[in-house]
Structures are given as C-alpha cells and as structure tokens.
Coordinates of all heavy atoms in Angstrom, one line a residue:
M21 N 192.2 50.2 -59.3 CA 191.3 49.6 -58.4 C 191.3 50.1 -57.0 O 190.4 50.4 -56.3 CB 191.4 48.1 -58.3 CG 190.4 47.3 -57.6 SD 188.7 47.6 -58.4 CE 188.0 46.1 -57.7
K22 N 192.6 50.5 -56.7 CA 192.9 51.0 -55.4 C 192.3 52.4 -55.1 O 191.8 52.9 -54.1 CB 194.3 51.1 -55.0 CG 195.0 49.7 -54.8 CD 196.5 49.9 -54.4 CE 197.1 48.6 -54.3 NZ 198.5 48.7 -53.9
L23 N 192.2 53.2 -56.2 CA 191.7 54.5 -56.2 C 190.3 54.5 -56.0 O 189.7 55.2 -55.2 CB 192.0 55.3 -57.5 CG 191.5 56.9 -57.6 CD1 192.2 57.5 -56.5 CD2 191.8 57.3 -58.9
H24 N 189.6 53.5 -56.6 CA 188.2 53.4 -56.4 C 187.8 52.9 -55.0 O 187.0 53.6 -54.4 CB 187.6 52.3 -57.4 CG 186.2 52.0 -57.3 ND1 185.2 52.9 -57.5 CD2 185.5 50.9 -57.0 CE1 184.1 52.4 -57.4 NE2 184.1 51.3 -57.0
A25 N 188.5 52.1 -54.4 CA 188.4 51.7 -53.1 C 188.5 52.8 -52.1 O 187.8 53.0 -51.1 CB 189.2 50.5 -52.8
L26 N 189.6 53.6 -52.3 CA 189.8 54.8 -51.5 C 188.8 55.8 -51.7 O 188.3 56.2 -50.7 CB 191.2 55.4 -52.0 CG 191.7 56.6 -51.2 CD1 191.8 56.2 -49.7 CD2 192.9 57.1 -51.7
A27 N 188.2 56.1 -52.8 CA 187.0 56.9 -53.1 C 185.8 56.5 -52.3 O 185.1 57.3 -51.6 CB 186.8 57.2 -54.5
V28 N 185.6 55.1 -52.4 CA 184.3 54.7 -51.6 C 184.6 54.8 -50.0 O 183.6 55.2 -49.3 CB 184.0 53.1 -52.1 CG1 183.2 52.5 -51.2 CG2 183.7 53.1 -53.4
A29 N 185.8 54.5 -49.6 CA 186.1 54.6 -48.2 C 185.8 56.1 -47.7 O 185.4 56.3 -46.6 CB 187.4 54.1 -47.9
A30 N 186.3 57.0 -48.5 CA 186.2 58.4 -48.2 C 184.7 58.8 -48.1 O 184.3 59.5 -47.3 CB 187.0 59.3 -49.2
L31 N 183.9 58.4 -49.2 CA 182.4 58.6 -49.3 C 181.8 58.0 -48.0 O 181.0 58.8 -47.4 CB 181.9 58.1 -50.5 CG 180.5 58.5 -50.6 CD1 180.2 59.9 -50.8 CD2 179.9 57.8 -51.9
V32 N 182.1 56.9 -47.7 CA 181.5 56.2 -46.5 C 181.9 57.0 -45.2 O 180.9 57.2 -44.4 CB 181.7 54.8 -46.4 CG1 181.3 54.2 -45.1 CG2 181.1 54.0 -47.5
A33 N 183.0 57.4 -45.1 CA 183.5 58.1 -44.0 C 182.8 59.4 -43.7 O 182.6 59.9 -42.5 CB 185.0 58.3 -44.0
L34 N 182.5 60.1 -44.8 CA 181.9 61.4 -44.8 C 180.4 61.3 -44.5 O 179.8 62.1 -43.9 CB 182.3 62.3 -45.9 CG 183.7 62.6 -46.1 CD1 184.0 63.3 -47.3 CD2 184.1 63.5 -44.8
A35 N 179.9 60.4 -45.3 CA 178.3 60.3 -45.3 C 177.8 59.5 -44.1 O 176.7 59.6 -43.7 CB 177.8 59.7 -46.7
G36 N 178.6 58.5 -43.6 CA 178.0 57.7 -42.6 C 177.6 58.5 -41.4 O 176.5 58.0 -41.1
P37 N 178.2 59.3 -40.8 CA 177.7 60.0 -39.6 C 176.4 60.7 -39.9 O 175.5 60.9 -39.1 CB 178.8 60.9 -39.1 CG 180.0 60.3 -39.7 CD 179.6 59.7 -41.0
A38 N 176.3 61.3 -41.1 CA 175.1 62.1 -41.4 C 173.9 61.2 -41.5 O 172.8 61.6 -41.1 CB 175.4 62.9 -42.7
L39 N 174.1 60.1 -42.2 CA 173.1 59.0 -42.4 C 172.5 58.5 -40.9 O 171.4 58.3 -40.7 CB 173.4 58.0 -43.3 CG 173.6 58.5 -44.7 CD1 174.0 57.3 -45.5 CD2 172.4 58.9 -45.2
A40 N 173.6 58.3 -40.0 CA 173.3 57.7 -38.8 C 172.6 58.7 -37.8 O 171.8 58.2 -37.0 CB 174.7 57.1 -38.1
Q41 N 172.6 59.9 -38.0 CA 172.1 60.9 -37.3 C 170.7 61.2 -37.5 O 170.0 61.9 -36.9 CB 172.9 62.3 -37.1 CG 174.3 62.0 -36.6 CD 175.1 63.3 -36.6 OE1 174.7 64.3 -37.2 NE2 176.3 63.3 -35.9
A42 N 170.2 60.8 -38.7 CA 168.9 61.2 -39.2 C 167.8 60.4 -38.2 O 167.9 59.1 -38.2 CB 168.7 60.8 -40.6
P43 N 166.9 61.0 -37.6 CA 166.1 60.4 -36.7 C 165.0 59.6 -37.6 O 164.4 60.2 -38.8 CB 165.4 61.5 -35.9 CG 165.5 62.6 -36.7 CD 166.8 62.5 -37.6
T44 N 164.6 58.4 -37.2 CA 163.6 57.7 -38.0 C 162.2 58.3 -37.5 O 162.1 58.8 -36.4 CB 163.7 56.3 -37.7 OG1 163.4 55.9 -36.3 CG2 165.0 55.7 -38.1
P45 N 161.2 58.0 -38.2 CA 159.8 58.5 -37.8 C 159.3 57.9 -36.5 O 158.8 58.4 -35.7 CB 158.9 58.0 -38.9 CG 159.8 58.0 -40.1 CD 161.0 57.5 -39.7
K46 N 159.9 56.5 -36.3 CA 159.5 56.0 -35.0 C 160.2 56.6 -33.8 O 159.6 56.7 -32.8 CB 159.9 54.5 -35.0 CG 159.1 53.5 -35.7 CD 159.5 52.0 -35.5 CE 158.7 51.0 -36.2 NZ 159.2 49.7 -35.9
D47 N 161.4 57.0 -34.0 CA 162.0 57.8 -32.9 C 161.4 59.1 -32.6 O 161.3 59.5 -31.4 CB 163.5 58.0 -33.4 CG 164.4 56.8 -33.5 OD1 164.0 55.8 -32.8 OD2 165.3 56.7 -34.1
T48 N 160.9 59.8 -33.7 CA 160.3 61.0 -33.5 C 159.1 60.8 -32.8 O 158.7 61.6 -31.7 CB 160.0 61.6 -34.8 OG1 161.2 61.8 -35.6 CG2 159.4 63.0 -34.7
V49 N 158.2 59.8 -33.1 CA 157.0 59.5 -32.4 C 157.2 59.2 -31.0 O 156.6 59.6 -30.0 CB 156.1 58.5 -33.1 CG1 155.0 58.0 -32.3 CG2 155.7 58.9 -34.5
K50 N 158.3 58.4 -30.7 CA 158.7 58.2 -29.3 C 159.0 59.3 -28.6 O 158.5 59.5 -27.5 CB 159.8 57.0 -29.4 CG 160.0 56.4 -28.0 CD 161.1 55.4 -28.3 CE 161.3 54.7 -26.9 NZ 162.4 53.5 -27.0
A51 N 159.7 60.2 -29.0 CA 160.1 61.5 -28.4 C 158.9 62.3 -28.1 O 159.0 63.0 -27.0 CB 161.3 62.2 -29.2
D52 N 158.0 62.3 -29.1 CA 156.7 63.1 -28.8 C 156.0 62.6 -27.7 O 155.4 63.3 -26.8 CB 156.0 63.2 -30.1 CG 156.5 64.0 -31.3 OD1 157.5 64.8 -30.9 OD2 156.2 63.9 -32.4
R53 N 156.0 61.2 -27.7 CA 155.1 60.7 -26.5 C 155.8 60.9 -25.1 O 155.0 61.2 -24.1 CB 155.1 59.1 -26.6 CG 154.2 58.6 -27.7 CD 154.1 57.2 -27.7 NE 153.3 56.6 -28.8 CZ 153.6 55.5 -29.4 NH1 154.6 54.8 -29.2 NH2 152.9 55.2 -30.5
E54 N 157.0 60.9 -25.1 CA 157.8 61.2 -23.8 C 157.5 62.7 -23.6 O 157.3 63.0 -22.3 CB 159.3 61.1 -24.0 CG 159.7 59.7 -24.1 CD 159.4 58.9 -22.8 OE1 159.5 59.4 -21.8 OE2 158.9 57.6 -23.0
Q55 N 157.5 63.6 -24.4 CA 157.2 65.0 -24.2 C 155.7 65.2 -23.7 O 155.6 66.0 -22.8 CB 157.4 65.9 -25.5 CG 157.3 67.3 -25.3 CD 158.4 67.9 -24.3 OE1 159.4 67.5 -24.3 NE2 157.9 68.7 -23.4
V56 N 154.8 64.6 -24.2 CA 153.5 64.6 -23.6 C 153.4 64.2 -22.3 O 152.7 64.7 -21.4 CB 152.4 63.9 -24.7 CG1 151.2 63.7 -23.9 CG2 152.4 64.5 -25.9
K57 N 154.1 63.0 -22.0 CA 154.2 62.6 -20.6 C 154.7 63.7 -19.6 O 154.2 63.9 -18.6 CB 155.1 61.3 -20.5 CG 154.4 60.0 -20.9 CD 155.3 58.9 -20.6 CE 154.7 57.6 -21.0 NZ 155.6 56.4 -20.8
K58 N 155.9 64.2 -20.0 CA 156.5 65.3 -19.4 C 155.5 66.4 -19.0 O 155.4 67.0 -18.0 CB 157.7 65.8 -19.9 CG 158.9 64.8 -19.8 CD 160.1 65.3 -20.5 CE 161.2 64.3 -20.5 NZ 162.4 64.7 -21.3
D59 N 154.8 66.8 -20.0 CA 153.8 68.0 -20.0 C 152.7 67.6 -18.9 O 152.3 68.4 -18.2 CB 153.1 68.1 -21.3 CG 154.0 68.8 -22.4 OD1 155.1 69.3 -21.9 OD2 153.7 68.7 -23.5
K60 N 152.2 66.2 -18.9 CA 151.2 66.0 -18.0 C 151.7 66.0 -16.5 O 151.1 66.5 -15.6 CB 150.8 64.5 -18.3 CG 149.8 64.4 -19.4 CD 149.4 63.0 -19.7 CE 148.6 62.8 -20.8 NZ 148.2 61.4 -21.1
E61 N 153.0 65.5 -16.3 CA 153.6 65.6 -15.1 C 153.8 67.0 -14.6 O 153.6 67.3 -13.3 CB 155.1 64.9 -15.1 CG 154.8 63.4 -15.2 CD 156.2 62.7 -15.4 OE1 157.3 63.4 -15.4 OE2 156.3 61.5 -15.7
Q62 N 154.1 68.0 -15.4 CA 154.3 69.3 -15.2 C 152.9 69.9 -14.7 O 152.9 70.8 -13.8 CB 155.0 70.1 -16.4 CG 155.3 71.5 -16.1 CD 156.4 71.7 -14.9 OE1 157.3 71.0 -14.9 NE2 156.2 72.6 -14.1
I63 N 151.9 69.6 -15.5 CA 150.7 70.1 -15.2 C 150.2 69.6 -13.6 O 149.7 70.5 -12.9 CB 149.5 69.8 -16.1 CG1 149.7 70.5 -17.5 CG2 148.1 69.9 -15.7 CD1 148.9 69.9 -18.7
K64 N 150.5 68.4 -13.5 CA 150.1 67.8 -12.1 C 151.0 68.6 -11.1 O 150.4 68.9 -9.9 CB 150.5 66.3 -12.1 CG 149.9 65.5 -11.1 CD 150.3 64.0 -11.0 CE 149.4 63.2 -11.8 NZ 149.7 61.8 -11.7
A65 N 152.2 68.8 -11.3 CA 152.9 69.6 -10.3 C 152.6 71.0 -10.1 O 152.5 71.6 -9.0 CB 154.5 69.6 -10.7
D66 N 152.2 71.7 -11.1 CA 151.7 73.0 -11.1 C 150.4 73.2 -10.3 O 150.1 74.0 -9.7 CB 151.6 73.6 -12.5 CG 152.9 74.0 -13.0 OD1 154.0 74.0 -12.3 OD2 153.0 74.1 -14.3
R67 N 149.5 72.1 -10.6 CA 148.2 72.1 -9.9 C 148.5 71.9 -8.4 O 147.7 72.5 -7.7 CB 147.3 71.0 -10.4 CG 146.6 71.2 -11.7 CD 145.5 70.4 -12.1 NE 144.9 70.8 -13.3 CZ 144.5 69.9 -14.3 NH1 144.6 68.6 -14.2 NH2 144.0 70.4 -15.4
K68 N 149.3 71.0 -8.1 CA 149.5 70.8 -6.7 C 150.2 72.0 -6.0 O 149.9 72.2 -4.9 CB 150.6 69.6 -6.6 CG 150.8 69.1 -5.2 CD 151.6 67.8 -5.2 CE 151.6 67.2 -3.8 NZ 152.5 66.0 -3.9
A69 N 150.9 72.9 -6.7 CA 151.6 74.0 -6.2 C 150.5 75.2 -6.3 O 150.8 76.2 -5.6 CB 152.7 74.5 -6.9
G70 N 149.5 74.9 -6.9 CA 148.4 76.1 -6.9 C 148.7 77.1 -7.9 O 148.2 78.2 -7.9
N71 N 149.5 76.9 -9.0 CA 150.0 77.9 -9.9 C 149.0 77.8 -11.1 O 149.3 77.1 -12.1 CB 151.4 77.7 -10.2 CG 151.9 78.9 -11.1 OD1 151.2 79.8 -11.4 ND2 153.2 79.0 -11.1
K72 N 147.9 78.6 -11.1 CA 146.9 78.4 -12.2 C 147.4 79.0 -13.6 O 147.1 78.4 -14.6 CB 145.6 79.3 -11.8 CG 144.9 78.6 -10.7 CD 143.5 79.3 -10.4 CE 142.8 78.7 -9.3 NZ 141.6 79.3 -9.1
D73 N 148.2 79.9 -13.5 CA 148.8 80.5 -14.8 C 149.7 79.5 -15.4 O 149.7 79.4 -16.6 CB 149.5 81.8 -14.5 CG 148.6 83.0 -14.2 OD1 147.4 82.9 -14.3 OD2 149.1 83.9 -13.4
A74 N 150.5 78.9 -14.6 CA 151.4 77.8 -15.1 C 150.6 76.6 -15.7 O 151.1 76.0 -16.8 CB 152.3 77.5 -14.3
V75 N 149.6 76.3 -15.0 CA 148.8 75.2 -15.5 C 148.1 75.5 -16.9 O 148.2 74.6 -17.8 CB 147.6 74.9 -14.5 CG1 146.5 73.9 -15.1 CG2 148.1 74.4 -13.3
K76 N 147.7 76.7 -17.0 CA 147.1 77.1 -18.3 C 148.2 77.1 -19.5 O 147.9 76.5 -20.6 CB 146.4 78.5 -18.3 CG 146.0 79.0 -19.5 CD 144.7 78.2 -20.0 CE 144.2 78.9 -21.2 NZ 143.5 78.0 -22.2
A77 N 149.4 77.6 -19.3 CA 150.4 77.6 -20.1 C 150.8 76.2 -20.5 O 151.1 75.8 -21.7 CB 151.5 78.4 -19.6
D78 N 150.9 75.3 -19.5 CA 151.3 73.8 -19.7 C 150.3 73.1 -20.4 O 150.6 72.4 -21.3 CB 151.6 73.2 -18.4 CG 152.9 73.6 -17.7 OD1 153.7 74.2 -18.3 OD2 153.0 73.5 -16.5
Q79 N 149.0 73.5 -20.3 CA 147.9 72.8 -21.1 C 148.0 73.3 -22.5 O 147.8 72.4 -23.4 CB 146.5 73.2 -20.5 CG 146.3 72.5 -19.2 CD 144.9 73.0 -18.7 OE1 144.5 74.1 -18.8 NE2 144.3 72.1 -17.7
D80 N 148.3 74.5 -22.8 CA 148.5 74.9 -24.0 C 149.6 74.2 -24.9 O 149.5 73.8 -25.9 CB 148.7 76.5 -24.2 CG 147.5 77.2 -23.8 OD1 146.4 76.6 -23.9 OD2 147.6 78.4 -23.5
K81 N 150.8 74.2 -24.0 CA 151.9 73.5 -24.6 C 151.5 71.9 -24.8 O 152.0 71.4 -25.8 CB 153.1 73.6 -23.6 CG 154.4 72.9 -24.0 CD 155.4 73.2 -23.2 CE 156.9 72.5 -23.4 NZ 156.9 71.3 -24.1
M82 N 150.9 71.3 -23.9 CA 150.5 69.9 -24.1 C 149.6 69.7 -25.3 O 149.8 68.8 -26.1 CB 149.8 69.2 -23.0 CG 149.6 67.8 -23.1 SD 149.0 67.0 -21.5 CE 147.4 67.5 -21.6
K83 N 148.7 70.8 -25.7 CA 147.9 70.7 -26.8 C 148.8 70.7 -28.1 O 148.6 69.9 -29.1 CB 146.8 71.8 -26.7 CG 145.7 71.7 -27.9 CD 144.9 73.0 -27.8 CE 143.6 72.5 -27.1 NZ 142.6 73.6 -27.2
A84 N 149.6 71.6 -28.1 CA 150.5 71.7 -29.3 C 151.4 70.4 -29.4 O 151.7 69.9 -30.5 CB 151.5 72.8 -29.0
D85 N 151.9 69.9 -28.4 CA 152.6 68.6 -28.4 C 151.8 67.5 -28.9 O 152.3 66.6 -29.6 CB 153.3 68.3 -27.1 CG 154.5 69.3 -26.8 OD1 155.0 69.9 -27.7 OD2 154.8 69.3 -25.5
K86 N 150.5 67.4 -28.5 CA 149.8 66.3 -29.0 C 149.5 66.4 -30.5 O 149.4 65.5 -31.1 CB 148.5 66.3 -28.2 CG 148.5 65.7 -26.9 CD 147.2 65.6 -26.2 CE 147.2 64.8 -24.9 NZ 145.8 64.7 -24.3
A87 N 149.4 67.8 -30.9 CA 149.1 67.9 -32.4 C 150.3 67.5 -33.2 O 150.3 66.8 -34.2 CB 148.7 69.4 -32.6
K88 N 151.5 67.8 -32.6 CA 152.8 67.4 -33.3 C 152.9 66.0 -33.2 O 153.3 65.3 -34.2 CB 154.0 68.0 -32.4 CG 155.3 67.8 -33.1 CD 156.3 68.5 -32.4 CE 157.7 68.5 -33.0 NZ 158.2 67.1 -33.2
L89 N 152.5 65.2 -32.2 CA 152.5 63.8 -32.1 C 151.6 63.1 -33.3 O 152.0 62.3 -33.9 CB 152.0 63.3 -30.7 CG 151.8 61.8 -30.5 CD1 153.1 61.0 -30.8 CD2 151.4 61.5 -29.1
K90 N 150.5 63.7 -33.2 CA 149.5 63.3 -34.3 C 150.1 63.4 -35.7 O 149.9 62.5 -36.6 CB 148.1 64.0 -34.2 CG 147.1 63.5 -35.0 CD 145.7 64.3 -34.9 CE 144.7 63.8 -35.7 NZ 143.4 64.5 -35.5
A91 N 150.6 64.6 -36.0 CA 151.2 64.8 -37.2 C 152.4 63.8 -37.5 O 152.5 63.4 -38.7 CB 151.7 66.3 -37.4
D92 N 153.2 63.6 -36.6 CA 154.3 62.8 -36.7 C 153.9 61.3 -36.9 O 154.5 60.5 -37.6 CB 155.3 62.9 -35.6 CG 156.1 64.1 -35.6 OD1 156.2 64.8 -36.6 OD2 156.7 64.5 -34.5
R93 N 152.8 60.9 -36.2 CA 152.2 59.5 -36.4 C 151.8 59.4 -37.8 O 152.0 58.3 -38.5 CB 151.2 59.3 -35.5 CG 151.5 58.9 -34.1 CD 150.3 58.4 -33.3 NE 150.5 58.2 -32.0 CZ 149.7 58.3 -31.0 NH1 148.4 58.7 -31.2 NH2 150.1 57.9 -29.7
K94 N 151.2 60.3 -38.3 CA 150.7 60.4 -39.8 C 151.8 60.3 -40.8 O 151.7 59.4 -41.6 CB 149.7 61.6 -40.0 CG 149.2 61.5 -41.4 CD 148.3 62.7 -41.6 CE 147.5 62.7 -43.0 NZ 148.1 62.2 -44.1
A95 N 152.8 61.0 -40.4 CA 154.0 60.9 -41.4 C 154.7 59.7 -41.3 O 155.1 59.2 -42.3 CB 155.0 62.1 -41.0
A96 N 154.9 59.0 -40.1 CA 155.4 57.8 -40.0 C 154.5 56.8 -40.7 O 155.1 55.7 -41.5 CB 155.6 57.4 -38.5
K97 N 153.3 56.8 -40.6 CA 152.4 55.9 -41.3 C 152.5 55.9 -42.9 O 152.7 55.0 -43.5 CB 151.0 56.1 -40.9 CG 149.9 55.1 -41.5 CD 148.6 55.4 -41.0 CE 147.4 54.5 -41.4 NZ 146.2 54.7 -41.0
D98 N 152.6 57.3 -43.4 CA 152.8 57.5 -44.7 C 154.1 57.0 -45.3 O 154.2 56.4 -46.4 CB 152.6 59.0 -45.1 CG 151.2 59.5 -44.9 OD1 150.3 58.7 -44.8 OD2 151.0 60.7 -44.7
A99 N 155.1 57.2 -44.4 CA 156.5 56.7 -44.9 C 156.4 55.2 -44.9 O 157.1 54.6 -45.7 CB 157.5 57.2 -43.8
K100 N 155.8 54.6 -44.0 CA 155.8 53.1 -44.0 C 155.1 52.6 -45.3 O 155.4 51.7 -45.9 CB 155.1 52.6 -42.7 CG 155.1 51.2 -42.5 CD 154.6 50.7 -41.2 CE 154.5 49.2 -41.1 NZ 154.0 48.8 -39.8
K101 N 153.8 53.3 -45.6 CA 153.1 53.0 -46.7 C 154.0 53.1 -48.0 O 154.1 52.3 -48.9 CB 152.0 53.8 -47.0 CG 150.7 53.4 -46.1 CD 149.6 54.2 -46.6 CE 148.4 53.8 -45.7 NZ 147.2 54.7 -46.1
Q102 N 154.8 54.1 -48.0 CA 155.5 54.5 -49.3 C 156.7 53.4 -49.4 O 156.9 52.9 -50.6 CB 156.2 55.8 -49.2 CG 157.0 56.3 -50.4 CD 157.6 57.7 -50.2 OE1 157.4 58.3 -49.1 NE2 158.2 58.2 -51.3
T103 N 157.3 53.1 -48.4 CA 158.3 52.1 -48.4 C 157.8 50.7 -48.8 O 158.4 50.0 -49.5 CB 159.2 52.0 -47.2 OG1 158.3 51.7 -46.1 CG2 160.0 53.2 -46.8
K104 N 156.5 50.5 -48.4 CA 156.0 49.2 -48.7 C 155.7 49.0 -50.2 O 155.8 48.0 -50.8 CB 154.7 49.1 -47.8 CG 154.1 47.7 -47.8 CD 153.0 47.5 -46.7 CE 152.5 46.2 -46.5 NZ 151.5 46.1 -45.6
T105 N 155.1 50.2 -50.8 CA 154.8 50.2 -52.2 C 156.0 50.2 -53.0 O 156.2 49.7 -54.1 CB 154.0 51.5 -52.5 OG1 154.5 52.6 -52.1 CG2 152.6 51.4 -51.9
E106 N 157.2 50.7 -52.5 CA 158.4 50.8 -53.2 C 158.9 49.3 -53.4 O 159.7 49.1 -54.3 CB 159.3 51.7 -52.7 CG 159.1 53.2 -52.9 CD 160.0 54.1 -52.1 OE1 161.0 53.6 -51.5 OE2 159.9 55.4 -52.3
T107 N 158.7 48.6 -52.4 CA 159.4 47.2 -52.4 C 158.6 46.3 -53.3 O 159.0 45.2 -53.6 CB 159.5 46.6 -51.0 OG1 158.0 46.7 -50.3 CG2 160.4 47.4 -50.1
K108 N 157.2 46.7 -53.7 CA 156.5 45.8 -54.5 C 157.0 45.8 -56.0 O 157.6 46.5 -56.6 CB 155.1 46.1 -54.4 CG 154.5 45.7 -53.2 CD 153.0 45.9 -53.1 CE 152.3 45.4 -51.9 NZ 151.0 45.6 -51.8

C-alpha cells in the first residue's frame, strides 16, 4: 500500500505544475481583449505623434489580434459545448 501511495504522490508532483500552467479558454480570450486594448492605445499615441507609418502597422496588428480574439472566442464556446455534452 505504501508503494502505491508513493507512486501517486510522485505522479501528482510531476503532473501538477504542468496541469496548472495550461491556460483556460477564458484566460486566452481575456488576454486577447487586453492586447486589442493595448493596440488601440498605441494607435492613439501614434496618431497624436503624427507617425502615419506606425499607425498603419498598428492597425494591421490590431486587425490580426481581433481575428485571433474571434477565433479564441469560438474555441472557448466550442469547448464549453463539448464539456456540457460530456456531462450529460
């Protein structure tokens, strides 16, 4: 019995940090929203400074970040649906 308990303890010790570090879909969406906010602030600062090239680059970056946000929202929604159907 002690060997079994020792094996379980070792498994939890090794797998615990790996499981704790996996981002949840909600965390990913939240991070994407923050990135879009930062992009908007950067565009505003570049416009104020009169840097047209940087504004264009920032707009392209924001467009890509918005697409990523949309994809992550869809993935989070699908994951939620999947867990809901698994519990039934």
Side-chain angles (χ1 to χ4, degrees):
M21 191 62 160
K22 289 182 181 180
L23 183 61
H24 178 61
L26 182 62
V28 170
L31 182 63
V32 169
L34 294 174
L39 293 174
Q41 292 175 354
T44 63
K46 281 186 175 181
D47 293 339
T48 307
V49 170
K50 190 174 183 179
D52 289 344
R53 282 186 190 145
E54 290 297 320
Q55 187 60 43
V56 169
K57 278 185 182 179
K58 288 179 185 176
D59 291 343
K60 286 181 181 181
E61 291 172 4
Q62 186 63 40
I63 289 171
K64 198 182 265 188
D66 288 339
R67 280 190 179 145
K68 193 172 185 178
N71 194 346
K72 291 183 179 183
D73 294 333
V75 169
K76 177 65 176 153
D78 291 339
Q79 285 175 338
D80 292 340
K81 184 177 181 315
M82 188 170 78
K83 186 183 262 188
D85 288 341
K86 281 186 176 183
K88 185 175 184 305
L89 173 62
K90 185 177 179 180
D92 287 342
R93 277 186 184 157
K94 185 178 183 324
K97 186 177 179 182
D98 292 343
K100 187 176 180 181
K101 274 186 183 178
Q102 185 179 8
T103 57
K104 197 173 190 181
T105 57
E106 287 176 358
T107 57
K108 285 185 178 181

